[in-house]
Amino acid sequence: MLDLCLKIIRILLLCISCYGWCAYMVHEKKIKAEFALSTLIAGIGSVVFFAGLLHMLAEVSWFVFGVGFCLAVYSLVKRNNIQQLLAPGIIVFLIVMVALGVLLYGSKFTSYDNFSHWAVVSRLILQNNRFPNM
């Protein structure tokens, strides 16, 4: 039960950080909400990839999370309009993500094939806090 509570807290903190980044892009940079979300996913993926190549995966991940959390607090203090982020595309994306989370919760990676090599890499990243390039 404690493990499930910790996972829920981590997901909520991730959502707060992502909200901060998206709010910054929508309110400060004047980017549409749907494009801001896709830019956020691509941007964080690229930054974390290069951080992994430089063996700074954990540090950069915490930095990206911290900046997003600070941006979320800034957005709430500044009282930005949250409804600008609730575009139809964002709502559909969130519904699909929740459905996939419920559907895939507890799934285990059991075997390797040519199309699931990403799971082996993900496991190594989580175990070693770096990409398996050594």
Side-chain angles (χ1 to χ4, degrees):
M1 185 66 177
L2 180 64
D3 187 44
L4 180 62
C5 290
L6 287 175
K7 287 179 184 177
I8 291 171
I9 290 170
R10 287 179 182 169
I11 290 172
L12 288 175
L13 288 173
L14 176 66
C15 290
I16 291 169
S17 179
C18 288
Y19 162 75
W21 282 107
C22 284
Y24 172 74
M25 285 189 267
V26 169
H27 297 296
E28 303 295 328
K29 298 295 182 184
K30 307 297 185 208
I31 297 174
K32 291 185 77 162
E34 295 91 346
F35 188 65
L37 185 61
S38 59
T39 302
L40 172 70
I41 292 170
I44 288 178
S46 299
V47 167
V48 169
F49 172 74
F50 287 115
L53 292 178
L54 297 173
H55 305 293
M56 297 172 30
L57 189 65
E59 295 87 357
V60 171
S61 297
W62 279 107
F63 177 76
V64 169
F65 166 76
V67 171
F69 195 83
C70 291
L71 288 171
V73 170
Y74 173 74
S75 174
L76 293 175
V77 167
K78 194 174 174 186
R79 296 183 186 260
N80 286 336
N81 187 4
I82 295 176
Q83 291 184 353
Q84 283 182 323
L85 293 174
L86 295 178
I90 299 293
I91 293 171
V92 169
F93 177 78
L94 293 176
I95 291 171
V96 169
M97 293 307 297
V98 169
L100 284 174
V102 169
L103 180 69
L104 296 174
Y105 180 75
S107 297
K108 301 280 186 204
F109 174 69
T110 57
S111 63
Y112 175 81
D113 63 35
N114 290 334
F115 300 103
S116 61
H117 64 281
W118 59 267
V120 175
V121 173
S122 299
R123 185 186 70 216
L124 291 172
I125 289 171
L126 292 172
Q127 287 174 347
N128 302 326
N129 282 333
R130 63 176 176 81
F131 283 123
N133 62 350
M134 296 300 281

